[in-house]
Amino acid sequence: MGRKRTKSGKIRLAEVAELAGVSPITASRFFRNPEALSVAKRTRVESAAKELGYVPNLAARALASQRTEVIGVLIPSLTNNVFSDVLRGIYDASEGSRYSIQLSNTRYSILQEEKLLRLFLAQKPAGLIVTGIDQTAESRAMLEAADCPIVQIMEIGPDPVDMMIGFSHYDAARAAIAHLFEQGHRKIGFVGARMDPRVQRRLDGYVSAMKDAGLFDQRLVVTTATPTSVTLGGALFTDLLAREPDIDAVFCANDDLALGVLFECRRREIEVPEQIAIVGFNDLEFMASAVPTLTSVRTNRYEMGKTAATMLINAIEGRRPEQAVLDLGFKVIERQSSSARRADSRPATSAAGAANKMIALPSSHD
Amino acid sequence: MGRKRTKSGKIRLAEVAELAGVSPITASRFFRNPEALSVAKRTRVESAAKELGYVPNLAARALASQRTEVIGVLIPSLTNNVFSDVLRGIYDASEGSRYSIQLSNTRYSILQEEKLLRLFLAQKPAGLIVTGIDQTAESRAMLEAADCPIVQIMEIGPDPVDMMIGFSHYDAARAAIAHLFEQGHRKIGFVGARMDPRVQRRLDGYVSAMKDAGLFDQRLVVTTATPTSVTLGGALFTDLLAREPDIDAVFCANDDLALGVLFECRRREIEVPEQIAIVGFNDLEFMASAVPTLTSVRTNRYEMGKTAATMLINAIEGRRPEQAVLDLGFKVIERQSSSARRADSRPATSAAGAANKMIALPSSHD
DNA sequence: GTCGTTGCTGGTAGCGCTGTCAACGTTCCT
DNA sequence: AGGAACGTTGACAGCGCTACCAGCAACGAC
């Protein structure tokens, strides 16, 4: 049957080709690989497309080419600030590229992750970004069988499926504790919420550092499965204090908890850092402007997302990275909340005035 | 040409149909409208699909049916906490439905929004969620011409494209100022960052409330185009104080700024609320656990996202809501930071102990 | 008994695009 | 001059699914 025009009046590639005086396939090539066309035809197709306001039909393209231009992203939480930074990086990197992001939330469940993975892979994504290194065996098998590039983000481990970008949470935690030791703190508590694998590894790092110093005591560790929040930080710290009233420092698995601990200290009129030092994790923006300013471990979340997406897109287009595993490291950002017990810690005039001393390390695996 | 099997060995609908002993079209119907099949065939197709692990090819479906099962979402920022709550609601509502979310970031640019809208609409989304009511004329025209349901979120206004869900930022700001008046404050500053349309309307509400009371002074308003942050709150407050040292309250356009103001007060040893009251906007989680606890205007962001997506999905499936415009209102959550100047404000034992008095209002348009 | 009517099923014909391969003209080498 | 090599173009045949419409049986109303 002749089909000169769709009922909807939508512009198809054929219309563009006709106006440009070329065959549809040539017009098609213009959109996928303009360099393959002669300059004359290229400009003709280009102006024809612009004149008609042509927008390619992605469904048809996907069907015909047997692949999509979709990058699947699996993250465990939309609530957690950490992931919004990573996501922002991913979206920023995908912008301007031909790829679009398909986001799904595993809710910290590796079974849910497996289910979503199956769904994603059936649509032949151009690439995949998954969180962490703790997939189910089934997921792992699917990932390895997938014929698209894959990036694991948030942490690094010994056995990447394909590419990997992150840092060692274990080493980062050890560095934070080492910093507290240096400042003269000995009885250091650990406060953690929602013990996902990465928080667990931070705990492991804490435990090993404390054991190395002969200071570990299980009673110094307070954790819960509840999702993190500032309020929860206060509550967990309250528990910790009830149990061990004479601690001299608290290492918090994230910054929300640290802020909660700070507020709870203020409520109880405990001086920070004179009586208790506080160290957080992630270095969210507010840490630098709290009073006292709060020490934290800076992790390059935005950069992680952006680099992951960039690496992925490059790999999709055949440009594999020199190294498949990228350690983005971390920095302990020393601020007032963990100053030496001899304390130079009274309020500066402005947050901006407080210089940050940094300890930068690539995380070394072990 | 006979094509018995795809090279990739992928299961197609035809395979399922064959195993079930029905025609492909009957199998197709099973996935879209199972009730249309006889019980016998329905169960046959169901078990065949399960046995083969069939997953439909969305691209083929979209091409053949001329529509997708994608809900487009346009938001201005991924950084802002406010939107992550909304997004969480949207994702939660879409989960379990057949629809997937396609997210794009307009970066607070209505031109970018227009461009993205054009892209989205060309793919015939099942529905669209857009932020706010300030589209370009061109965008507005495209939205009105679109043949899919549309929900505008974050605020309500007089002239919905289709559906609308939000609250009046203007009224919310007026309510916050009214609360400060009640508590005896008179010289109330306004601190705002990134003056997007919604923040602008909060400012308008502040201005009108102050003018009504004969207390407006342009010098009380400090704003900037810079994106919001806790640190920025401190900086803007510093500017405000330099200009008007004797203010007795600050209304912050969002909670990050409010926290920054609180820290700056602490740095300067200004007592809150005895010397200066603070009111934020959005009621993020940390507001209830700060010391002193911080008054804020609660907005139902998660609910907004969830309801918007639910309404949209219902509309896509032909179930239009009774009312197209939904006002989710707001609540002024009164906490210590804005207690009456006579002040009952010294630290409670715990944040949990601080009762919240609420003023709940649907926003009335004007 | 005839004629709708309803409920279920299947055949046909694409949806808009691209993979493959063949064909063409041009250039460059020997 | 002959031929290979390259760059550019087009014809054809689907990608996997669904819209559309026709067909058929079962049933009730007249």
Side-chain angles (χ1 to χ4, degrees):
Chain A
M1 294 291 102
R3 42 152 152 147
K4 277 262 94 134
R5 182 177 299 158
T6 320
K7 50 243 87 191
S8 67
K10 273 283 160 232
I11 308 300
R12 293 171 327 213
L13 191 55
E15 269 89 54
V16 176
E18 191 176 4
L19 180 61
V22 300
S23 72
I25 188 65
T26 300
S28 167
R29 268 191 280 262
F30 168 76
F31 293 100
R32 291 174 294 148
N33 183 15
E35 285 73 33
L37 301 203
S38 62
V39 179
K41 304 222 166 180
R42 196 186 312 171
T43 53
R44 290 233 302 283
V45 175
E46 184 165 19
S47 62
K50 186 176 291 180
E51 184 178 334
L52 296 172
Y54 172 72
V55 180
N57 180 319
L58 265 31
R61 179 179 287 176
L63 182 58
S65 67
Q66 294 287 72
R67 57 200 162 69
T68 60
E69 288 168 349
V70 170
I71 292 175
V73 178
L74 288 174
I75 58 164
S77 164
L78 277 165
T79 317
N80 197 324
N81 283 318
V82 166
F83 292 106
S84 57
D85 287 338
V86 175
L87 272 184
R88 199 159 45 84
I90 293 174
Y91 275 96
D92 281 2
S94 75
E95 214 157 274
S97 82
R98 59 199 309 161
Y99 303 95
S100 67
I101 301 299
Q102 187 68 52
L103 178 66
S104 266
N105 182 351
T106 66
R107 299 165 180 278
Y108 289 103
S109 154
I110 55 174
L111 267 65
Q112 178 70 6
E113 182 182 55
E114 181 180 316
K115 193 181 135 203
L116 290 168
L117 213 44
R118 200 182 311 279
L119 231 62
F120 270 32
L121 287 171
Q123 305 309 324
K124 308 185 206 227
L128 227 39
I129 295 178
V130 300
T131 302
I133 59 181
D134 301 271
Q135 284 79 30
T136 64
E138 180 77 6
S139 294
R140 177 86 196 190
M142 284 193 285
L143 287 171
E144 285 180 341
D147 65 343
C148 68
I150 291 164
V151 185
Q152 290 167 285
I153 59 168
M154 296 311 288
E155 56 183 320
I156 49 179
D159 191 19
V161 170
D162 181 3
M163 292 170 283
M164 188 176 263
I165 179 164
F167 64 95
S168 165
H169 293 251
Y170 180 91
D171 290 347
R174 282 184 63 97
I177 302 304
H179 162 66
L180 283 169
F181 286 160
E182 269 169 36
Q183 302 295 310
H185 303 284
R186 311 295 288 163
K187 188 152 187 184
I188 304 168
F190 179 95
V191 168
R194 169 114 71 194
M195 299 304 291
D196 74 49
R198 285 158 296 284
V199 176
Q200 183 62 49
R201 280 187 261 279
R202 284 174 222 157
L203 174 55
D204 293 347
Y206 159 85
V207 170
S208 87
M210 293 294 278
K211 282 191 172 159
D212 286 357
L215 293 169
F216 178 67
D217 179 347
Q218 185 59 52
R219 295 167 49 81
L220 290 168
V221 176
V222 179
T223 64
T224 167
T226 312
T228 187
S229 71
V230 177
T231 306
L232 184 62
L236 293 175
F237 178 59
T238 298
D239 288 357
L240 179 60
L241 271 187
R243 202 189 283 177
E244 296 286 329
D246 58 338
I247 53 171
D248 56 20
V250 186
F251 174 47
C252 302
N254 68 51
D255 288 341
D256 287 352
L257 296 175
L259 185 59
V261 171
L262 175 65
F263 284 138
E264 191 62 36
C265 285
R266 179 129 168 73
R267 210 169 276 126
R268 293 169 178 271
E269 299 181 355
I270 297 171
E271 295 292 319
V272 177
E274 290 80 356
Q275 294 174 265
I276 289 190
I278 302 174
V279 173
F281 199 98
N282 279 325
D283 197 31
L284 298 187
E285 186 264 331
F286 61 75
M287 299 296 273
S289 110
V291 181
T293 57
L294 291 165
T295 297
S296 193
V297 180
R298 180 173 296 170
T299 57
N300 308 298
R301 299 177 300 285
Y302 173 80
E303 192 191 354
M304 191 184 305
K306 187 153 189 175
T307 310
T310 305
M311 278 172 81
L312 188 66
I313 290 172
N314 282 338
I316 290 167
E317 297 178 346
R319 301 185 298 279
R320 302 286 311 180
E322 332 73 73
Q323 43 183 5
V325 177
L326 212 56
D327 185 344
L328 255 36
F330 53 84
K331 287 179 191 167
V332 178
I333 311 289
E334 300 181 18
R335 299 203 183 88
Q336 294 164 346
S337 70
S338 64
S339 295
R341 304 209 68 179
R342 52 198 179 274
D344 57 332
S345 56
R346 278 300 69 200
T349 306
S350 135
N356 298 324
K357 186 182 152 205
M358 297 184 192
I359 306 171
L361 290 177
S363 29
S364 69
H365 321 170
D366 54 301
Chain B
M1 298 288 101
R3 42 153 150 147
K4 277 263 93 137
R5 185 176 298 157
T6 320
K7 50 243 89 196
S8 67
K10 273 283 159 232
I11 308 301
R12 294 172 326 216
L13 191 55
E15 270 88 54
V16 176
E18 192 177 1
L19 180 62
V22 300
S23 72
I25 187 67
T26 299
S28 166
R29 268 191 280 259
F30 168 77
F31 292 100
R32 291 173 294 145
N33 183 15
E35 284 74 33
L37 301 203
S38 61
V39 179
K41 304 222 167 182
R42 196 186 311 171
T43 54
R44 290 233 301 284
V45 175
E46 183 164 21
S47 61
K50 186 176 292 178
E51 185 178 335
L52 296 172
Y54 172 73
V55 181
N57 180 319
L58 265 32
R61 179 179 285 177
L63 181 57
S65 67
Q66 294 286 75
R67 58 202 160 68
T68 61
E69 285 167 353
V70 170
I71 292 174
V73 178
L74 288 173
I75 57 164
S77 164
L78 277 166
T79 317
N80 198 323
N81 283 317
V82 166
F83 292 106
S84 57
D85 287 336
V86 175
L87 273 183
R88 199 160 43 86
I90 292 173
Y91 275 95
D92 281 2
S94 76
E95 215 157 273
S97 82
R98 59 198 309 158
Y99 302 95
S100 66
I101 302 299
Q102 187 67 52
L103 179 66
S104 266
N105 182 349
T106 65
R107 298 163 181 279
Y108 289 104
S109 152
I110 55 174
L111 267 64
Q112 178 70 6
E113 182 182 57
E114 181 179 315
K115 193 180 135 205
L116 290 169
L117 212 45
R118 201 183 311 280
L119 233 61
F120 270 32
L121 286 171
Q123 305 309 325
K124 306 184 209 231
L128 228 39
I129 295 178
V130 300
T131 301
I133 59 181
D134 300 271
Q135 284 79 29
T136 64
E138 182 77 6
S139 292
R140 175 85 195 189
M142 284 193 284
L143 287 171
E144 285 181 340
D147 64 345
C148 68
I150 291 162
V151 184
Q152 290 166 287
I153 59 168
M154 296 311 288
E155 55 184 321
I156 49 178
D159 193 19
V161 170
D162 181 2
M163 291 170 283
M164 188 175 262
I165 179 164
F167 64 95
S168 165
H169 293 251
Y170 181 90
D171 291 346
R174 282 185 62 97
I177 302 306
H179 161 66
L180 284 169
F181 285 161
E182 268 169 37
Q183 302 294 312
H185 303 284
R186 311 293 289 164
K187 190 153 187 184
I188 305 168
F190 179 95
V191 167
R194 169 113 72 196
M195 299 305 290
D196 75 47
R198 286 159 294 286
V199 176
Q200 184 60 48
R201 279 186 263 279
R202 285 174 222 157
L203 174 54
D204 293 347
Y206 159 85
V207 170
S208 86
M210 293 294 277
K211 282 192 171 158
D212 287 356
L215 294 168
F216 179 68
D217 179 349
Q218 185 59 50
R219 295 167 51 80
L220 290 168
V221 176
V222 179
T223 63
T224 169
T226 312
T228 186
S229 73
V230 177
T231 306
L232 184 61
L236 293 175
F237 178 60
T238 298
D239 288 356
L240 180 59
L241 271 187
R243 201 190 285 177
E244 297 285 329
D246 58 339
I247 53 169
D248 56 20
V250 186
F251 173 48
C252 302
N254 68 51
D255 288 340
D256 287 352
L257 296 175
L259 184 60
V261 171
L262 175 65
F263 284 138
E264 191 62 36
C265 285
R266 178 128 168 74
R267 210 169 277 125
R268 294 169 178 271
E269 298 181 358
I270 296 171
E271 295 292 320
V272 177
E274 289 79 355
Q275 294 174 266
I276 288 190
I278 301 175
V279 174
F281 200 97
N282 278 325
D283 197 32
L284 298 187
E285 186 264 331
F286 62 74
M287 298 297 272
S289 106
V291 181
T293 57
L294 290 165
T295 297
S296 192
V297 181
R298 179 172 296 170
T299 58
N300 307 297
R301 297 176 301 284
Y302 173 80
E303 193 191 353
M304 192 184 307
K306 186 151 188 177
T307 309
T310 304
M311 277 172 80
L312 188 65
I313 290 173
N314 282 338
I316 290 166
E317 297 179 345
R319 302 184 299 278
R320 304 284 313 179
E322 333 73 71
Q323 42 182 6
V325 178
L326 212 56
D327 185 345
L328 254 37
F330 55 83
K331 285 178 191 167
V332 177
I333 311 289
E334 301 182 15
R335 298 204 183 88
Q336 294 164 347
S337 70
S338 64
S339 293
R341 304 209 68 178
R342 54 197 175 276
D344 55 335
S345 56
R346 276 300 70 199
T349 307
S350 137
N356 297 324
K357 186 183 153 203
M358 297 182 189
I359 307 171
L361 291 176
S363 29
S364 69
H365 324 168
D366 52 301

